[in-house]
Amino acid sequence: MEKAYLTLHGVTKTFGPVKALDQVSFSAGKGEFLSILGPSGCGKTTALRVIAGLEHQSDGKVLINGRDVTGMPVSKRNVGIVFQSYALFPNLNAEKNIAYGLRGRFSRHQINKKVAGLMDLTGLTGMGHKFPSQLSGGQQQRVALARAMALSPDLLLLDEPLSALDARVRVRLRREIRMLQQKLGVTTIMVTHDQEEALTMADRVLVMNGGKLIQDGTPEQIYQTPATPFVASFIGSMNFFKGAARVGDYSFEVAGKTIKAPGSSQALDLGDADTATLAIRPEDIKVKKLDKAGENAFPAVLKTMEYRGHIFRLAFSLQTRGLPLVKVDVSGEAVAALGLTVDRPVHLVFPPDRVMVYGRSGLESSDWVDTDPPQAVRCHG
Amino acid sequence: MDSRAGVMDGPGGGPGRILNQGLDQRLDQILGSEAAKRVLILLALVWLIVVVVLPLGTLLLKSLSDNQGNFVGLANFVAYFKSPSLSRSIGNSLVVAFATTAIAVPLGFAFSWCLTRTCMPAKWLFKSLALMPLFAPTLLNGIALIYLFGRKGLITTGFFGAIPGIKLPLYGSFGIIVSEVIYTFPQAMLILSIALAVTDARLYEAAASLGAGRVRTFFTVTLPGIKYGLVSAFFVCFILAFTDFGAPKVVGGNFNILATDIYKQVIGQQNFIMGAVVSMVLLIPTCMAFIIDRIIQQRQVAMIAAKSVPLVNKPDALRDNLALACCGLVVFSILAFYGTALYASLVKVWPYKLSLGLSHYRFTGMGGGGYAAFFNSMRMGLYSAVLGTAVTFFTAFLVEKVRVWDRCRHTVYFLSILPLALPGLVIGLAYIFFYNARGWDFFGMFVPNPFNFLYGTMAILVLSNIVHFYTMGFLTASTALKQMDIEFEHVSDAMGVPFYKTLFRITLPVSLPAVLEVASYYFVNSMATVSAVIFLYSADIPLASVAIANMDDAGDTASACAMSVLVVFTNIVVRLLFLLCTKKLKARTQAWKEG
């Protein structure tokens, strides 16, 4: 990573007794695309507003391009913002919306040239004379983006930019925004509650919860090695086994069987704890016929099958009291090959390098999302 | 990559700048700064202090002082309550206000229910006609009653002997209550029809699916849905009836109420101190009603967050015809009421010479000022509309959109809402005390009154109207502003566009319908009001409404009636103009209004 372009140092923001941001620190390199991800009320929007200068932090520092902007109003920070509602001026057409910030700073000729360039860049050519209400949601989004980019901001801030759009348009615009951002090379911070959005668009993802920054990493790191059970459960689906007894440095006991997890780096943090929480993603579990057991294998019975198009989501019982059903994702082909039907006994194999281990410290109740989060949770935090 | 080059030369990129815009930008920087915003909010606060707080404070001080200006504590109030001829008015005023409210609110509810819950035909026509009383000076309500129920009235004489007459005790509580019901009915109807219109259709569908009948649905869905509207209608009617001066002045007779007492003390007996005392007595229940209403309305906020589905009524012949009959009766009564006034203003000599003519519209030889007064009122209405709208809108803008200095902003908000609780007579009297004062002694130092020059001018009349009708304008403007995305200001801020540019380019054009609404409200009410201006007009600036009161006093009822008809007529024309403008505006801005 290059030298940090945007830096937050221990930023804290309190609203009365509520800590919306609690000692948040991170930085972004020039041209980087960062996504702040988290559930409703996690502080992600507050973080964005503090960076923008729409709110002022109670403590800590914000630096843009090496310059301390603490206390500086939004008008002086040279940031472009796209709001969730787009906030397009209803009485101005697309062209005039985009030119809004340019008036008085450039000549008419220059403005026209810039606006035409931006319209071209965002694929709005020919739409200039339409009013926001005459544009589709996706087009409105582009106008908002073009307007935010018109003054060539040092930072582009996107607040849930796609949440108002329907699913199909959203997927297309994700790619377009990413391409545009790379083309212009503008450092971008996007706030979202949508994990897929964050993982597909950003160079780096910051996961927040309860005002705290929980994990900062590339999409792969966040998905493959979630730092806490919260991150593990918030992003993708996850099976958890709480209170697994520790029987060796890297081995634990679940349902009377031993699980080995040598690949997990978190195992080192355990100290002398007796128990730990184990976690494994549904797609990492292998389903084997009864006679093909081996290491980390559990006898299990298929309870429910859910067809999800490209895969089946299966739920198995480990036939031990107190253990939750184990979620497993397998392809339709595998289901057919194994001849899977409800109540059929099989073996589940947990590949040792895919088992994640979490110590006690990561288990505060506030830090935990116990269920499989639905894909499209609406969040306006 | 061409486009990128075009896009990317930043605002600091030297060659793009135009030299002569340097000054413009510096101006932007000054006016767009936080300090400028604070100064503006401070100015709004100072303005409200000068036109509301200081005059009211002076009034309060006067009520606690003797004629020489010495502080006497509550002595004046003790004297007031010791004199039964004065304190009896408190009970009278309360009786009038409660009786009016008890009639007007149910009537308003029934009418608005018919408008919103039936498939009755020509709803817009009924609604428009029912609003007639809003355009009339309340003096006219009294005058029309004289022509109906007076000694030689249409009903009393049975249409001049055609049928048996009915004698009713017009002068006194009966006449006042009837006038006030007519005056307050449209207000209740408007508030309740808005409340009824926003009810969620899904609640009705849910009730129906759960097997609730009409009665149960009414008590479990309809009434709870409009409870805040009902409370508001109740307090508005109460305050209006409790403080109105026009109708009691004409038909009050020997039935004294607080508003007429203030007038009699000040104009009749030149006892300004007792006028101040009665004003305070009038203010107390009014302010209490106002405060209770505000507290209750604040609870409402959470209830209207969700999006609701508009209700579509299904035809029901019996219900619709009954509704038509009820609304028809109400509207017929209102039309007959004002029709009688119009007829009386045209009749040569009531009830002896019933041929029609315009002789009463000449106003020659009459007191009051005639057409000069009428045109003064129009000028006053126009000034009040222009200046009042500008001031209320800008104050509302500062409160809603310029989010700096919260404590100061909240005070401005409170002082903008407060005038709703101030009766016109109280404003008028407070203005006499404050603006007519030569100056004040502060610990032996004489400070001349910098506002004294306003006294006796058109300016003070306009000022009193702006304050008298401030709250409605302010609330209309803030509602319109609240409907706009708060991010508009943030977007502009982020682009370094100063807030006043956004005000003129975005906020004002988008809220133009509300601006016109406020302006027409100011004009109509300034034309019709008598209470505040009757203390403030000077002999060389006669006013129409004051002329009506004076001509009626002098026994020239027909001319007073004619002048009232002129006022009503003007107001209706202005209102129609407003509707026309709004319609044109809507057509022109259709493109950015949908969605």
Side-chain angles (χ1 to χ4, degrees), chain A residues 11-313:
Chain A
V11 170
T12 297
K13 171 78 188 171
T14 50
F15 294 105
V18 182
K19 260 193 184 173
L21 291 179
D22 189 357
Q23 290 287 328
V24 172
S25 302
F26 64 85
S27 54
K30 175 118 186 96
E32 212 179 0
F33 192 130
L34 247 63
S35 173
I36 307 180
L37 176 66
S40 177
C42 70
K44 56 190 190 296
T45 297
T46 309
L48 193 82
R49 294 174 70 85
V50 166
I51 296 169
L54 294 170
E55 307 274 1
H56 294 287
Q57 67 267 33
S58 319
D59 197 14
K61 263 195 220 168
V62 178
L63 287 96
I64 299 177
N65 205 4
R67 190 168 55 134
D68 188 349
V69 295
T70 304
M72 194 184 274
V74 58
S75 51
K76 299 271 155 51
R77 294 194 184 191
N78 195 24
V79 293
I81 310 176
V82 175
F83 290 98
Q84 190 173 8
S85 63
Y86 310 145
L88 296 179
F89 304 127
N91 60 326
L92 302 183
N93 63 24
E95 232 167 56
K96 287 187 176 154
N97 259 290
I98 297 170
Y100 193 76
L102 300 170
R103 264 183 46 155
R105 297 177 200 238
F106 298 95
S107 70
R108 185 156 297 275
H109 175 71
Q110 283 172 309
I111 292 176
N112 288 344
K113 207 175 116 194
K114 271 174 188 288
V115 171
L118 283 159
M119 303 254 297
D120 180 44
L121 204 61
T122 48
L124 284 168
T125 310
M127 305 279 179
H129 293 287
K130 291 200 172 177
F131 288 101
S133 63
Q134 296 167 323
L135 296 169
S136 72
Q139 289 164 341
Q140 290 179 24
Q141 217 280 332
R142 290 162 210 240
V143 175
L145 199 61
R147 184 177 66 179
M149 290 306 298
L151 283 171
S152 316
D154 294 332
L155 262 184
L156 177 62
L157 304 175
L158 311 173
D159 183 8
E160 304 262 4
L162 302 172
S163 66
L165 301 169
D166 58 51
R168 202 182 285 261
V169 182
R170 213 184 303 165
V171 171
R172 201 178 65 222
L173 271 170
R174 264 188 217 159
R175 275 197 303 273
E176 287 184 14
I177 291 178
R178 178 60 173 157
M179 277 164 60
L180 186 72
Q181 186 266 339
Q182 283 175 329
K183 201 164 162 188
L184 299 176
V186 59
T187 313
T188 302
I189 313 290
M190 175 179 77
V191 154
T192 180
H193 65 269
D194 183 331
Q195 40 161 316
E196 214 174 288
E197 215 165 278
L199 296 180
T200 53
M201 292 170 76
D203 294 316
R204 250 167 62 222
V205 177
L206 312 176
V207 184
M208 285 189 67
N209 192 30
K212 290 194 175 102
L213 180 59
I214 308 290
Q215 190 171 6
D216 173 351
T218 63
E220 289 80 7
Q221 285 166 344
I222 297 281
Y223 190 82
Q224 300 291 346
T225 51
T228 69
F230 165 76
V231 178
S233 59
F234 187 72
I235 292 154
S237 300
M238 188 65 86
N239 292 297
F240 287 104
F241 302 96
K242 293 184 204 176
R246 196 169 171 198
V247 293
D249 266 357
Y250 303 113
S251 46
F252 304 86
E253 198 182 272
V254 170
K257 299 270 177 186
T258 302
I259 292 192
K260 287 190 177 158
S264 176
S265 57
Q266 289 98 326
L268 300 172
D269 305 337
L270 284 177
D272 359 313
D274 300 335
T275 60
T277 292
L278 306 186
I280 185 163
R281 296 227 179 257
E283 67 268 27
D284 288 336
I285 298 175
K286 303 272 182 291
V287 183
K288 304 270 181 179
K289 287 191 176 159
L290 264 185
D291 50 335
K292 298 244 175 115
E295 205 182 34
N296 280 4
F298 290 84
V301 173
L302 179 57
K303 286 296 179 191
T304 62
M305 294 175 77
E306 196 179 287
Y307 180 59
R308 289 193 174 179
H310 59 298
I311 53 144
F312 278 87
R313 162 65 56 92

Side-chain angles (χ1 to χ4, degrees), chain A residues 85 90-91 105 114 133 152, chain B residues 7 9 485 495 505 591-592 594:
Chain A
S85 63
N91 60 326
R105 297 177 200 238
K114 271 174 188 288
S133 63
S152 316
Chain B
V7 172
D9 44 355
D485 200 335
M495 291 188 283
R505 281 198 69 199
W592 41 276
E594 13 184 86

Side-chain angles (χ1 to χ4, degrees), chain B residues 153-166:
Chain B
L154 266 184
I155 308 283
T156 317
T157 60
F159 294 89
F160 309 121
I163 51 167
I166 305 166

Side-chain angles (χ1 to χ4, degrees), chain B residues 167-224:
Chain B
K167 264 209 165 78
L168 289 167
L170 169 66
Y171 294 96
S173 56
F174 172 78
I176 301 177
I177 291 169
V178 174
S179 306
E180 299 305 348
V181 166
I182 291 170
Y183 170 47
T184 55
F185 160 76
Q187 312 262 4
M189 189 270 283
L190 274 182
I191 294 170
L192 291 170
S193 59
I194 291 168
L196 280 164
V198 297
T199 310
D200 193 345
R202 287 171 302 189
L203 292 177
Y204 282 89
E205 284 162 6
S209 73
L210 294 167
R214 277 189 178 190
V215 177
R216 186 144 177 242
T217 308
F218 180 81
F219 282 104
T220 53
V221 179
T222 308
L223 275 188

